[in-house]
Each structure stands twice: as C-alpha cells, then as structure tokens.
Amino acid sequence: MTRLLREHPAIDVDLGPDGEPVAFEWNGRREQIEVCNRWRVEESWWSRPIARDYFKVAGSSWLALLYLDRVDGTWHLERLYD
C-alpha cells in the first residue's frame, strides 16, 4: 500500500559526498536512508516549468519517494510506502 501525500511537504535532507540523499527528517523523525532508484522529470516548459530529481529511498522504518525541486532548490516528500 502507498500513501500519496496531497501536499508534498518540504523536508530536510542530508547529502553524501556523491550528492545523493543519505538521511532525511520529516514529522519530527530523522531516518538514515539508501537510494534504491533515481530519475529526472522535466516538463511543462511552456508554462511553469517542472524540473525534479526523484529518489526512491529505503530506511529502517520507511520506504519513500523524495524529490529535489531543481527550480527552487527545495526537497519534498511525495509518497510513503507501507
């Protein structure tokens, strides 16, 4: 089961030396994570552009989908998997 978050809350992300996320904090909890998969999305160039780097990550208690909004430089949590 998956929980898609209606509003993608901003999160704090710690990056490793390779620039990939190694931990994130959300809702008062900090979790060490490992990147399982990553991809880039760029679309809507004719209106407000969307440019995101997505990361599916696994931690000891979370499997989640995070993204870096490359337009404004912020990290967000989009989805939690059960």
Side-chain angles (χ1 to χ4, degrees):
M1 185 159 177
T2 181
R3 187 171 78 176
L4 179 61
L5 304 172
R6 181 173 298 171
E7 295 180 22
H8 303 162
I11 56 174
D12 291 322
V13 174
D14 296 334
L15 302 177
D18 59 358
E20 288 195 346
V22 295
F24 78 97
E25 185 172 338
W26 176 68
N27 210 18
R29 291 178 47 197
R30 185 175 184 278
E31 179 87 19
Q32 294 289 332
I33 54 173
E34 182 177 329
V35 174
C36 302
N37 195 4
R38 68 178 294 174
W39 63 95
R40 179 169 281 177
V41 173
E42 293 185 10
E43 58 184 35
S44 299
W45 53 267
W46 59 91
S47 61
R48 183 177 182 265
I50 294 173
R52 296 176 180 170
D53 288 335
Y54 279 90
F55 298 85
K56 186 177 273 188
V57 298
S60 62
S61 57
W62 286 336
L63 180 61
L65 183 61
L66 318 177
Y67 67 85
L68 169 63
D69 184 326
R70 293 183 12 250
V71 174
D72 63 15
T74 57
W75 285 89
H76 298 269
L77 176 61
E78 182 172 305
R79 185 179 303 260
L80 290 173
Y81 299 89
D82 292 336

